[in-house]
Amino acid sequence: MAFQTIATNFECFAVFRDDVLVRSGEGRALVKEYYRDAPRRVPLAKLNGEQDNVWREIQSTIDHIEQGDYLAAIAAYRFIFERLRGMAD
């Protein structure tokens, strides 16, 4: 995967976080959860051989963001974290 693609995807997530999620209590809670849990959970995808599946889910979330379907993007984002949370249990 090209570095530029990865950087663009993370930029998309950052804009979504800063322009959409932080405008609601639920969104702020998702952002807080991300910063609290992601450093521990994201490496689990690689340990469990799930990095390709998680990457596809990230791409799906980004597709929703780019289409302006923020409710679907939030649902997809939650699904990613639930999947990672399940790997930790």
Coordinates of all heavy atoms in Angstrom, one line a residue:
M1 N 0.9 -1.2 0.0 CA 0.0 0.0 0.0 C 0.9 1.2 0.0 O 1.8 1.3 0.7 CB -0.9 0.0 1.2 CG -1.6 1.3 1.5 SD -3.4 1.2 1.7 CE -3.9 -0.3 0.9
A2 N 0.6 2.2 -0.8 CA 1.3 3.4 -1.0 C 1.2 4.3 0.3 O 0.1 4.4 0.8 CB 0.9 4.1 -2.2
F3 N 2.3 4.9 0.7 CA 2.2 5.8 1.8 C 1.2 6.9 1.6 O 0.5 7.2 2.6 CB 3.6 6.3 2.1 CG 3.6 7.3 3.2 CD1 3.5 6.9 4.5 CD2 3.7 8.7 3.0 CE1 3.5 7.8 5.6 CE2 3.6 9.6 4.0 CZ 3.6 9.2 5.3
Q4 N 1.2 7.4 0.4 CA 0.2 8.5 0.2 C -1.2 8.1 0.4 O -2.0 8.9 1.0 CB 0.4 9.1 -1.2 CG -0.4 10.3 -1.5 CD -0.1 10.9 -2.8 OE1 0.8 10.5 -3.5 NE2 -0.9 11.9 -3.2
T5 N -1.6 6.9 0.0 CA -2.9 6.4 0.3 C -3.2 6.3 1.8 O -4.3 6.7 2.2 CB -3.1 5.0 -0.4 OG1 -2.9 5.1 -1.8 CG2 -4.5 4.5 -0.1
I6 N -2.3 5.8 2.5 CA -2.4 5.7 4.0 C -2.6 7.1 4.6 O -3.5 7.3 5.4 CB -1.2 4.9 4.6 CG1 -1.2 3.5 4.1 CG2 -1.3 5.0 6.1 CD1 0.0 2.7 4.5
A7 N -1.7 8.0 4.2 CA -1.8 9.3 4.7 C -3.1 10.0 4.4 O -3.7 10.7 5.2 CB -0.6 10.2 4.2
T8 N -3.6 9.8 3.2 CA -4.8 10.4 2.7 C -6.0 9.8 3.5 O -6.9 10.6 4.0 CB -5.1 10.2 1.2 OG1 -4.0 10.7 0.5 CG2 -6.4 10.8 0.8
N9 N -5.9 8.5 3.8 CA -7.0 7.9 4.6 C -7.0 8.4 6.0 O -8.1 8.7 6.6 CB -6.9 6.4 4.6 CG -7.2 5.8 3.2 OD1 -7.9 6.4 2.4 ND2 -6.7 4.6 3.0
F10 N -5.9 8.6 6.6 CA -5.8 9.1 8.0 C -6.2 10.6 8.0 O -6.9 11.0 9.0 CB -4.5 8.9 8.6 CG -4.3 7.4 9.0 CD1 -3.5 6.6 8.3 CD2 -5.0 6.9 10.1 CE1 -3.4 5.2 8.7 CE2 -4.9 5.6 10.5 CZ -4.1 4.7 9.8
E11 N -5.9 11.3 7.0 CA -6.4 12.7 6.9 C -7.9 12.8 6.8 O -8.5 13.6 7.5 CB -5.7 13.4 5.7 CG -6.1 14.9 5.6 CD -5.5 15.5 4.4 OE1 -4.3 15.2 4.0 OE2 -6.1 16.4 3.8
C12 N -8.5 11.9 6.0 CA -9.9 11.8 5.9 C -10.5 11.5 7.3 O -11.5 12.2 7.7 CB -10.3 10.7 4.9 SG -12.1 10.5 4.6
F13 N -10.0 10.6 8.0 CA -10.5 10.3 9.4 C -10.3 11.5 10.3 O -11.2 11.8 11.1 CB -9.7 9.1 10.0 CG -10.4 7.8 9.8 CD1 -9.7 6.7 9.2 CD2 -11.7 7.5 10.2 CE1 -10.2 5.5 9.1 CE2 -12.3 6.3 10.0 CZ -11.5 5.3 9.5
A14 N -9.2 12.2 10.2 CA -9.0 13.4 11.1 C -10.0 14.5 10.8 O -10.6 15.1 11.7 CB -7.6 13.9 10.9
V15 N -10.3 14.7 9.5 CA -11.3 15.7 9.1 C -12.7 15.3 9.6 O -13.4 16.1 10.2 CB -11.3 16.0 7.6 CG1 -12.5 16.8 7.2 CG2 -10.0 16.6 7.2
F16 N -13.0 14.0 9.5 CA -14.3 13.5 9.9 C -14.4 13.7 11.5 O -15.4 14.1 12.0 CB -14.4 12.0 9.6 CG -15.6 11.3 10.0 CD1 -16.9 11.7 9.6 CD2 -15.6 10.2 10.9 CE1 -18.0 11.1 10.0 CE2 -16.7 9.6 11.3 CZ -18.0 10.0 10.8
R17 N -13.3 13.3 12.2 CA -13.3 13.5 13.6 C -13.5 14.9 14.0 O -14.4 15.2 14.8 CB -12.0 13.0 14.1 CG -11.8 13.2 15.6 CD -10.4 13.0 16.0 NE -9.6 14.0 15.5 CZ -8.3 13.9 15.0 NH1 -7.7 12.7 15.0 NH2 -7.7 14.9 14.5
D18 N -12.7 15.8 13.4 CA -12.8 17.2 13.8 C -14.0 18.0 13.3 O -14.4 19.0 13.9 CB -11.5 17.9 13.3 CG -10.2 17.4 13.9 OD1 -10.3 16.7 15.0 OD2 -9.1 17.6 13.3
D19 N -14.5 17.6 12.2 CA -15.7 18.4 11.6 C -17.0 17.7 11.9 O -18.0 18.4 11.8 CB -15.5 18.5 10.1 CG -14.4 19.4 9.7 OD1 -13.8 20.1 10.6 OD2 -14.0 19.5 8.5
V20 N -17.1 16.4 12.2 CA -18.4 15.8 12.4 C -18.5 15.2 13.8 O -19.4 15.5 14.5 CB -18.5 14.6 11.3 CG1 -19.8 13.9 11.5 CG2 -18.5 15.2 9.9
L21 N -17.6 14.3 14.2 CA -17.8 13.6 15.4 C -17.8 14.5 16.6 O -18.6 14.3 17.5 CB -16.7 12.5 15.6 CG -16.7 11.3 14.7 CD1 -15.6 10.4 14.9 CD2 -18.1 10.6 14.8
V22 N -16.9 15.5 16.7 CA -16.8 16.3 17.9 C -18.1 17.2 18.1 O -18.2 17.8 19.2 CB -15.6 17.2 17.9 CG1 -14.3 16.3 18.0 CG2 -15.5 18.1 16.8
R23 N -19.0 17.2 17.2 CA -20.2 18.1 17.3 C -21.3 17.4 18.1 O -22.3 18.1 18.4 CB -20.7 18.4 15.9 CG -19.7 19.3 15.2 CD -20.2 19.8 13.9 NE -19.3 20.6 13.2 CZ -19.5 21.3 12.2 NH1 -20.7 21.3 11.7 NH2 -18.6 22.1 11.7
S24 N -21.1 16.2 18.5 CA -22.2 15.5 19.3 C -21.5 14.8 20.5 O -20.3 14.5 20.5 CB -22.9 14.5 18.5 OG -22.1 13.4 18.2
G25 N -22.3 14.6 21.6 CA -21.8 13.9 22.7 C -21.3 12.5 22.4 O -20.3 12.0 22.8
E26 N -22.1 11.9 21.6 CA -21.8 10.5 21.1 C -20.5 10.5 20.3 O -19.7 9.6 20.5 CB -23.0 9.9 20.3 CG -22.7 8.5 19.8 CD -23.8 8.0 18.9 OE1 -24.7 8.8 18.5 OE2 -23.8 6.8 18.5
G27 N -20.4 11.5 19.4 CA -19.2 11.5 18.6 C -17.9 11.8 19.5 O -16.9 11.2 19.3
R28 N -18.1 12.7 20.5 CA -16.9 13.0 21.4 C -16.6 11.8 22.1 O -15.4 11.5 22.4 CB -17.3 14.2 22.3 CG -17.3 15.5 21.5 CD -17.4 16.7 22.5 NE -18.7 16.7 23.2 CZ -19.8 17.2 22.7 NH1 -19.8 17.7 21.5 NH2 -20.9 17.2 23.4
A29 N -17.5 11.0 22.5 CA -17.2 9.7 23.2 C -16.5 8.8 22.4 O -15.5 8.1 22.8 CB -18.5 9.1 23.7
L30 N -16.8 8.7 21.1 CA -16.1 7.8 20.1 C -14.6 8.3 20.0 O -13.7 7.5 19.9 CB -16.8 7.8 18.8 CG -18.1 7.0 18.7 CD1 -18.7 7.3 17.3 CD2 -17.8 5.5 18.9
V31 N -14.4 9.6 19.9 CA -13.1 10.1 19.8 C -12.3 9.8 21.0 O -11.1 9.4 21.0 CB -13.1 11.6 19.5 CG1 -11.7 12.3 19.6 CG2 -13.8 11.9 18.1
K32 N -12.9 10.0 22.2 CA -12.2 9.7 23.4 C -11.9 8.2 23.5 O -10.7 7.9 23.9 CB -13.1 10.1 24.6 CG -12.5 9.9 26.0 CD -13.5 10.4 27.1 CE -12.8 10.1 28.4 NZ -13.7 10.6 29.5
E33 N -12.8 7.4 23.1 CA -12.5 5.9 23.1 C -11.4 5.6 22.2 O -10.5 4.8 22.5 CB -13.8 5.2 22.7 CG -13.5 3.7 22.6 CD -14.7 2.9 22.0 OE1 -15.6 3.5 21.4 OE2 -14.8 1.7 22.3
Y34 N -11.3 6.2 21.0 CA -10.3 6.0 20.1 C -8.9 6.3 20.7 O -8.0 5.5 20.7 CB -10.4 6.8 18.8 CG -9.2 6.7 17.9 CD1 -9.1 5.7 17.1 CD2 -8.3 7.8 17.9 CE1 -7.9 5.6 16.3 CE2 -7.2 7.7 17.1 CZ -7.0 6.6 16.3 OH -5.9 6.5 15.5
Y35 N -8.8 7.5 21.3 CA -7.5 7.9 21.8 C -7.1 7.0 23.1 O -5.9 6.8 23.3 CB -7.4 9.4 22.1 CG -7.2 10.2 20.9 CD1 -8.3 10.9 20.3 CD2 -6.0 10.1 20.2 CE1 -8.1 11.6 19.2 CE2 -5.8 10.8 19.0 CZ -6.9 11.6 18.5 OH -6.7 12.3 17.4
R36 N -8.1 6.6 23.8 CA -7.8 5.8 25.0 C -7.5 4.3 24.6 O -6.5 3.8 25.2 CB -9.1 5.8 25.9 CG -8.9 5.0 27.2 CD -10.2 4.9 28.0 NE -11.1 4.0 27.2 CZ -12.4 4.3 27.0 NH1 -12.9 5.4 27.6 NH2 -13.2 3.5 26.3
D37 N -8.2 3.8 23.6 CA -8.0 2.3 23.4 C -7.2 1.9 22.1 O -6.7 0.8 22.1 CB -9.4 1.7 23.2 CG -10.2 1.8 24.5 OD1 -9.6 2.0 25.6 OD2 -11.4 1.6 24.5
A38 N -7.2 2.8 21.1 CA -6.5 2.4 19.9 C -5.1 1.9 20.0 O -4.7 0.9 19.4 CB -6.6 3.5 18.8
P39 N -4.3 2.6 20.8 CA -2.9 2.2 20.9 C -2.7 0.7 21.4 O -1.8 0.0 21.0 CB -2.3 3.1 21.9 CG -3.1 4.4 21.8 CD -4.5 3.9 21.5
R40 N -3.7 0.3 22.2 CA -3.6 -1.1 22.7 C -4.3 -2.1 21.8 O -3.9 -3.2 21.7 CB -4.3 -1.2 24.1 CG -3.6 -0.5 25.2 CD -4.3 -0.8 26.5 NE -5.8 -0.8 26.4 CZ -6.5 0.2 27.0 NH1 -6.0 1.1 27.7 NH2 -7.8 0.2 26.8
R41 N -5.4 -1.6 21.1 CA -6.2 -2.5 20.3 C -5.7 -2.7 18.8 O -5.8 -3.8 18.3 CB -7.6 -2.1 20.3 CG -8.2 -2.2 21.7 CD -9.7 -1.7 21.7 NE -10.1 -1.5 23.0 CZ -10.7 -2.5 23.7 NH1 -10.9 -3.6 23.2 NH2 -11.1 -2.2 24.9
V42 N -5.2 -1.7 18.2 CA -4.8 -1.8 16.8 C -3.8 -2.9 16.6 O -3.9 -3.7 15.6 CB -4.4 -0.4 16.3 CG1 -3.8 -0.5 14.9 CG2 -5.6 0.5 16.2
P43 N -2.8 -3.0 17.4 CA -1.8 -4.1 17.2 C -2.4 -5.5 17.2 O -1.8 -6.4 16.7 CB -0.8 -3.9 18.3 CG -0.9 -2.4 18.7 CD -2.3 -2.1 18.5
L44 N -3.5 -5.6 17.9 CA -4.2 -6.9 18.0 C -4.6 -7.5 16.6 O -4.6 -8.7 16.4 CB -5.4 -6.9 18.9 CG -5.1 -6.6 20.4 CD1 -6.4 -6.4 21.1 CD2 -4.3 -7.6 21.0
A45 N -4.9 -6.6 15.7 CA -5.3 -7.0 14.3 C -4.2 -7.8 13.7 O -4.4 -8.8 13.1 CB -5.7 -5.8 13.5
K46 N -3.0 -7.3 13.8 CA -1.8 -7.9 13.2 C -1.5 -9.2 14.0 O -1.3 -10.3 13.3 CB -0.6 -7.0 13.3 CG 0.6 -7.6 12.5 CD 1.7 -6.6 12.4 CE 2.8 -7.2 11.5 NZ 3.9 -6.3 11.3
L47 N -1.6 -9.2 15.3 CA -1.3 -10.4 16.0 C -2.3 -11.6 15.7 O -2.0 -12.7 15.7 CB -1.4 -10.2 17.5 CG -0.3 -9.4 18.1 CD1 -0.5 -9.0 19.6 CD2 1.1 -10.2 18.0
N48 N -3.5 -11.2 15.4 CA -4.6 -12.2 15.1 C -4.7 -12.4 13.5 O -5.7 -13.1 13.1 CB -5.9 -11.7 15.6 CG -5.9 -11.8 17.1 OD1 -5.8 -12.9 17.7 ND2 -6.1 -10.7 17.8
G49 N -3.8 -11.9 12.7 CA -3.9 -12.1 11.3 C -5.1 -11.4 10.7 O -5.6 -11.8 9.6
E50 N -5.6 -10.3 11.3 CA -6.8 -9.7 10.8 C -6.5 -8.3 10.2 O -7.5 -7.6 9.8 CB -7.8 -9.5 12.0 CG -8.4 -10.8 12.5 CD -9.4 -11.4 11.5 OE1 -10.1 -10.6 10.9 OE2 -9.4 -12.6 11.3
Q51 N -5.3 -8.0 9.9 CA -5.0 -6.6 9.4 C -5.6 -6.4 8.1 O -6.1 -5.2 7.8 CB -3.5 -6.3 9.4 CG -2.7 -7.2 8.5 CD -2.1 -8.5 9.1 OE1 -2.7 -9.0 10.1 NE2 -1.1 -9.0 8.6
D52 N -5.7 -7.3 7.2 CA -6.3 -7.1 5.9 C -7.8 -6.9 6.0 O -8.4 -6.0 5.4 CB -6.1 -8.3 4.9 CG -4.6 -8.4 4.5 OD1 -3.9 -7.4 4.6 OD2 -4.2 -9.5 4.1
N53 N -8.5 -7.6 6.9 CA -9.9 -7.4 7.2 C -10.2 -6.0 7.8 O -11.1 -5.3 7.4 CB -10.5 -8.5 8.1 CG -10.5 -9.8 7.4 OD1 -10.7 -9.9 6.2 ND2 -10.4 -10.9 8.1
V54 N -9.4 -5.6 8.7 CA -9.5 -4.3 9.4 C -9.3 -3.2 8.4 O -10.0 -2.2 8.3 CB -8.6 -4.2 10.6 CG1 -8.6 -2.8 11.1 CG2 -9.1 -5.2 11.7
W55 N -8.3 -3.4 7.5 CA -8.0 -2.4 6.5 C -9.2 -2.2 5.5 O -9.5 -1.1 5.2 CB -6.7 -2.7 5.7 CG -6.4 -1.6 4.7 CD1 -6.5 -1.7 3.4 CD2 -6.0 -0.3 5.1 NE1 -6.1 -0.5 2.8 CE2 -5.8 0.4 3.8 CE3 -5.7 0.4 6.3 CZ2 -5.4 1.7 3.8 CZ3 -5.3 1.7 6.2 CH2 -5.2 2.3 5.0
R56 N -9.8 -3.4 5.1 CA -11.0 -3.3 4.3 C -12.1 -2.5 5.0 O -12.9 -1.7 4.4 CB -11.5 -4.7 3.9 CG -10.7 -5.2 2.7 CD -11.3 -6.5 2.1 NE -11.2 -7.6 3.0 CZ -10.1 -8.4 3.1 NH1 -9.1 -8.1 2.4 NH2 -10.1 -9.4 4.0
E57 N -12.3 -2.7 6.3 CA -13.3 -2.0 7.1 C -13.0 -0.6 7.2 O -13.9 0.3 7.1 CB -13.4 -2.7 8.4 CG -14.0 -4.1 8.4 CD -13.7 -4.9 9.6 OE1 -13.2 -4.4 10.6 OE2 -14.1 -6.1 9.6
I58 N -11.7 -0.2 7.3 CA -11.3 1.2 7.3 C -11.7 1.8 5.9 O -12.2 2.9 5.9 CB -9.8 1.4 7.6 CG1 -9.6 1.0 9.1 CG2 -9.3 2.8 7.3 CD1 -8.1 0.9 9.5
Q59 N -11.3 1.1 4.9 CA -11.7 1.6 3.5 C -13.2 1.8 3.4 O -13.6 2.8 2.8 CB -11.1 0.7 2.5 CG -9.7 0.7 2.3 CD -9.2 2.0 1.8 OE1 -8.2 2.6 2.4 NE2 -9.8 2.6 0.8
S60 N -14.0 0.9 3.9 CA -15.4 1.0 3.8 C -15.9 2.3 4.6 O -16.7 3.0 4.1 CB -16.1 -0.2 4.4 OG -17.5 -0.1 4.4
T61 N -15.3 2.5 5.7 CA -15.6 3.7 6.5 C -15.3 5.0 5.8 O -16.1 5.9 5.7 CB -14.9 3.6 7.9 OG1 -15.2 2.4 8.6 CG2 -15.3 4.8 8.8
I62 N -14.1 5.0 5.2 CA -13.7 6.1 4.4 C -14.7 6.4 3.2 O -15.0 7.5 2.9 CB -12.3 6.0 4.0 CG1 -11.4 6.2 5.2 CG2 -11.9 7.0 2.9 CD1 -10.0 5.8 5.0
D63 N -15.1 5.3 2.5 CA -16.0 5.4 1.4 C -17.3 6.1 1.9 O -17.8 7.0 1.2 CB -16.4 4.1 0.8 CG -15.2 3.4 0.1 OD1 -14.3 4.2 -0.3 OD2 -15.3 2.2 -0.2
H64 N -17.8 5.7 3.1 CA -19.0 6.3 3.6 C -18.8 7.8 3.9 O -19.6 8.7 3.6 CB -19.5 5.7 4.9 CG -20.0 4.3 4.7 ND1 -21.0 3.9 3.9 CD2 -19.6 3.1 5.3 CE1 -21.2 2.6 3.9 NE2 -20.4 2.1 4.8
I65 N -17.6 8.1 4.5 CA -17.3 9.5 4.8 C -17.3 10.3 3.5 O -17.9 11.4 3.4 CB -15.9 9.6 5.5 CG1 -16.0 9.0 6.9 CG2 -15.5 11.1 5.6 CD1 -14.6 8.8 7.6
E66 N -16.6 9.8 2.5 CA -16.4 10.6 1.2 C -17.8 10.7 0.5 O -18.0 11.7 -0.2 CB -15.5 9.8 0.3 CG -14.0 10.0 0.8 CD -13.0 9.2 0.0 OE1 -13.4 8.3 -0.7 OE2 -11.8 9.5 0.1
Q67 N -18.7 9.8 0.8 CA -20.1 9.9 0.2 C -21.0 10.8 1.0 O -22.1 11.1 0.7 CB -20.7 8.6 0.0 CG -20.0 7.7 -1.0 CD -20.4 6.2 -0.9 OE1 -21.3 5.8 -0.1 NE2 -19.7 5.4 -1.6
G68 N -20.5 11.3 2.2 CA -21.3 12.1 3.1 C -22.3 11.3 3.9 O -23.2 11.9 4.5
D69 N -22.2 10.0 3.9 CA -23.1 9.2 4.7 C -22.5 8.9 6.1 O -21.9 7.9 6.4 CB -23.3 7.8 4.0 CG -24.4 7.0 4.6 OD1 -24.9 7.4 5.7 OD2 -24.8 6.0 4.0
Y70 N -22.6 10.0 6.9 CA -21.9 10.0 8.2 C -22.5 8.9 9.2 O -21.7 8.4 10.0 CB -21.9 11.4 8.8 CG -21.2 12.4 7.9 CD1 -21.6 13.7 7.8 CD2 -20.0 12.0 7.2 CE1 -21.0 14.6 7.0 CE2 -19.4 12.9 6.4 CZ -19.8 14.2 6.3 OH -19.2 15.1 5.6
L71 N -23.8 8.7 9.1 CA -24.3 7.7 10.0 C -23.8 6.3 9.7 O -23.4 5.5 10.6 CB -25.9 7.6 9.9 CG -26.6 8.9 10.4 CD1 -28.1 8.8 10.2 CD2 -26.3 9.1 11.9
A72 N -23.6 6.0 8.4 CA -23.0 4.7 8.0 C -21.5 4.7 8.4 O -21.0 3.6 8.8 CB -23.2 4.4 6.5
A73 N -20.9 5.8 8.3 CA -19.4 5.9 8.6 C -19.3 5.6 10.2 O -18.4 4.9 10.6 CB -18.9 7.2 8.3
I74 N -20.1 6.2 10.9 CA -20.1 6.0 12.4 C -20.3 4.6 12.7 O -19.6 4.0 13.5 CB -21.1 7.0 13.1 CG1 -20.6 8.4 13.0 CG2 -21.2 6.5 14.6 CD1 -21.6 9.4 13.4
A75 N -21.3 4.0 12.1 CA -21.6 2.5 12.3 C -20.4 1.7 11.9 O -20.1 0.7 12.7 CB -22.9 2.1 11.6
A76 N -19.8 2.0 10.8 CA -18.7 1.2 10.3 C -17.5 1.4 11.3 O -16.8 0.4 11.6 CB -18.3 1.6 8.9
Y77 N -17.3 2.6 11.8 CA -16.2 2.9 12.7 C -16.4 2.1 14.0 O -15.5 1.5 14.5 CB -16.2 4.4 13.0 CG -15.2 4.9 14.0 CD1 -13.9 5.2 13.6 CD2 -15.5 5.0 15.3 CE1 -13.0 5.7 14.5 CE2 -14.6 5.5 16.2 CZ -13.3 5.8 15.8 OH -12.4 6.3 16.7
R78 N -17.7 2.1 14.5 CA -18.0 1.3 15.7 C -17.7 -0.2 15.5 O -17.2 -0.8 16.4 CB -19.4 1.5 16.1 CG -19.7 2.6 17.0 CD -21.0 2.4 17.7 NE -21.4 3.7 18.2 CZ -22.3 4.4 17.7 NH1 -23.0 4.0 16.6 NH2 -22.6 5.6 18.2
F79 N -18.1 -0.7 14.3 CA -17.9 -2.1 14.0 C -16.4 -2.4 14.1 O -16.0 -3.5 14.7 CB -18.4 -2.4 12.6 CG -18.2 -3.9 12.3 CD1 -19.1 -4.8 12.8 CD2 -17.2 -4.2 11.4 CE1 -18.9 -6.2 12.4 CE2 -17.0 -5.6 11.1 CZ -17.8 -6.5 11.6
I80 N -15.5 -1.6 13.6 CA -14.1 -1.8 13.6 C -13.6 -1.9 15.1 O -12.9 -2.9 15.5 CB -13.3 -0.7 13.0 CG1 -13.6 -0.7 11.5 CG2 -11.8 -0.8 13.2 CD1 -13.1 0.6 10.7
F81 N -14.1 -1.0 15.9 CA -13.7 -1.0 17.3 C -14.3 -2.2 18.1 O -13.6 -2.8 18.9 CB -14.0 0.3 18.0 CG -12.8 1.1 18.2 CD1 -12.3 1.9 17.2 CD2 -12.1 1.1 19.4 CE1 -11.2 2.6 17.3 CE2 -10.9 1.9 19.5 CZ -10.5 2.6 18.5
E82 N -15.5 -2.6 17.8 CA -16.0 -3.8 18.4 C -15.3 -5.0 18.0 O -15.0 -5.9 18.8 CB -17.5 -4.0 18.0 CG -18.4 -2.9 18.7 CD -18.3 -2.9 20.2 OE1 -18.3 -4.0 20.8 OE2 -18.3 -1.8 20.8
R83 N -14.8 -5.1 16.8 CA -14.0 -6.2 16.3 C -12.7 -6.3 17.1 O -12.3 -7.3 17.5 CB -13.8 -6.1 14.8 CG -12.9 -7.2 14.2 CD -12.4 -6.8 12.8 NE -13.2 -7.4 11.8 CZ -13.0 -8.6 11.4 NH1 -12.2 -9.4 12.0 NH2 -13.7 -9.0 10.3
L84 N -12.1 -5.1 17.2 CA -10.8 -5.1 17.9 C -11.0 -5.4 19.4 O -10.1 -6.0 20.0 CB -10.1 -3.7 17.7 CG -9.7 -3.4 16.3 CD1 -9.2 -1.9 16.2 CD2 -8.5 -4.3 15.9
R85 N -12.1 -4.9 19.9 CA -12.4 -5.2 21.4 C -12.5 -6.7 21.6 O -12.1 -7.2 22.5 CB -13.6 -4.5 21.8 CG -13.9 -4.6 23.3 CD -15.1 -3.8 23.7 NE -14.8 -2.3 23.7 CZ -15.5 -1.4 23.0 NH1 -16.6 -1.7 22.4 NH2 -15.1 -0.2 23.0
G86 N -13.2 -7.4 20.6 CA -13.4 -8.8 20.7 C -12.1 -9.6 20.6 O -11.9 -10.6 21.3
M87 N -11.1 -9.0 19.9 CA -9.8 -9.7 19.9 C -9.1 -9.6 21.2 O -8.2 -10.4 21.5 CB -8.9 -9.0 18.8 CG -9.4 -9.3 17.4 SD -8.3 -8.4 16.2 CE -9.4 -8.4 14.8
A88 N -9.4 -8.6 22.0 CA -8.7 -8.4 23.3 C -9.3 -9.3 24.3 O -8.6 -9.5 25.3 CB -8.9 -6.9 23.7
D89 N -10.5 -9.7 24.1 CA -11.2 -10.6 25.2 C -10.7 -12.0 25.1 O -10.2 -12.5 24.2 CB -12.7 -10.5 25.0 CG -13.2 -9.1 25.2 OD1 -12.5 -8.3 25.9 OD2 -14.2 -8.7 24.7

